[in-house]
Amino acid sequence: QVQLVESGGGLVQAGGSLKLSCAASGSITNPYAMGWYRQAPGKQRDLVAFITNGGNTVYADSVKGRFAISRDNAKNTVYLQMNSLKPEDTAVYYCYADLRRSVISTVRYWGQGTQVTVSS
């Protein structure tokens, strides 16, 4: 079984910082990619950032320059450092891991979500 456990969410004032963690465990070997989505009430779930097993990163324009994603391959853990937080960053944040099944196929697993609330 594959499980992703998230931690680090909470309530902060605008301009503050939080660091999210997501640890994957179970029948996995070096996830192809790991990343974060977020979803505010009544809105779509949008990609925040992801990082490949080679360390390449991609960020949404709305968080570029403020957030930083990193990964510890030995621990199968992905992190999201969030700085200069804004009220519009308020959402439930979900981590994911893509596991390679073949040369051209992967399976995506999701964490349970963690609430991030930013007050003005």
Side-chain angles (χ1 to χ4, degrees):
Q1 300 296 116
V2 175
Q3 292 185 330
L4 277 66
V5 179
E6 302 179 30
S7 62
L11 192 156
V12 297
Q13 295 183 2
S17 298
L18 283 174
K19 187 174 183 178
L20 307 182
S21 300
C22 176
S25 63
S27 301
I28 57 175
T29 55
N30 192 19
Y32 178 74
M34 301 183 74
W36 298 87
Y37 280 73
R38 67 185 182 185
Q39 186 170 26
K43 297 185 178 180
Q44 296 181 353
R45 184 177 295 189
D46 295 325
L47 177 70
V48 177
F50 72 85
I51 183 168
T52 69
N53 57 9
N56 296 317
T57 59
V58 173
Y59 295 92
D61 289 341
S62 59
V63 307
K64 203 166 188 176
R66 300 188 297 119
F67 291 11
I69 190 169
S70 60
R71 174 174 176 169
D72 185 335
N73 290 336
K75 297 180 178 180
N76 284 324
T77 299
V78 64
Y79 306 92
L80 186 67
Q81 177 66 51
M82 304 184 293
N83 300 319
S84 301
L85 284 162
K86 305 174 181 179
E88 48 264 47
D89 295 319
T90 296
V92 177
Y93 285 69
Y94 298 89
C95 70
Y96 74 87
D98 289 340
L99 304 185
R100 183 180 293 277
R101 297 300 192 187
S102 70
V103 175
I104 60 171
S105 66
T106 60
V107 175
R108 176 163 290 180
Y109 295 87
W110 291 93
Q112 80 281 5
T114 185
Q115 177 71 48
V116 172
T117 303
V118 184
S119 62
S120 60

